[in-house]
Amino acid sequence: QVQLVESGGGLVQAGGSLRLSCRASPSIFSIDFMGWYRQASGGQRELVALVTAGGNKHYADSVKGRFTVSRDSAKNTWYLQMNSLKPEDTALYYCNADRTKVDGTDYWGQGTQVTVSS
């Protein structure tokens, strides 16, 4: 079983930056996809970005060029650096550990609120 603890959300003005962190316990070993999702009020959860175990990265079109996903295997942590934030980025952000190819499991963080004021 994997436990995920998120940190780094908050309130920021448009144009500002935040960095989200997701720490996995016991480790990120055997996690195929380390992702970030978000859910705005009244909306559906959507994929923001992910990094694979092999280091490949994928971004939603809406965040390309502004957000960067990365991982630190030594710290069992992956990150979402968010720059040039817009009010429409306001949402509850969740990290996700996808091990469906390994053992069919899928884990979610508790969520962290990001609010961007105009």
Side-chain angles (χ1 to χ4, degrees):
Q1 189 169 355
V2 176
Q3 292 185 324
L4 303 178
V5 178
E6 298 180 42
S7 60
L11 172 64
V12 65
Q13 288 189 331
S17 298
L18 285 173
R19 188 177 80 156
L20 306 183
S21 300
C22 182
R23 186 173 185 278
S25 298
S27 79
I28 65 172
F29 179 72
S30 293
I31 299 175
D32 284 325
F33 303 99
M34 289 154 271
W36 290 98
Y37 290 73
R38 67 186 180 188
Q39 187 168 14
S41 179
Q44 292 187 332
R45 193 172 296 190
E46 61 176 1
L47 174 66
V48 176
L50 64 83
V51 56
T52 71
N56 294 317
K57 301 178 181 180
H58 171 81
Y59 297 94
D61 288 342
S62 59
V63 306
K64 282 181 181 175
R66 300 188 297 124
F67 291 10
T68 302
V69 63
S70 63
R71 62 176 182 163
D72 185 334
S73 298
K75 295 182 179 180
N76 295 310
T77 301
W78 61 98
Y79 306 93
L80 185 67
Q81 177 67 43
M82 305 184 291
N83 298 330
S84 302
L85 282 161
K86 304 176 181 180
E88 51 263 45
D89 295 317
T90 295
L92 193 57
Y93 283 70
Y94 298 89
C95 62
N96 171 262
D98 187 329
R99 294 175 29 146
T100 52
K101 291 185 178 180
V102 176
D103 59 11
T105 59
D106 187 48
Y107 300 91
W108 292 92
Q110 80 278 14
T112 186
Q113 179 67 39
V114 171
T115 302
V116 184
S117 63
S118 57

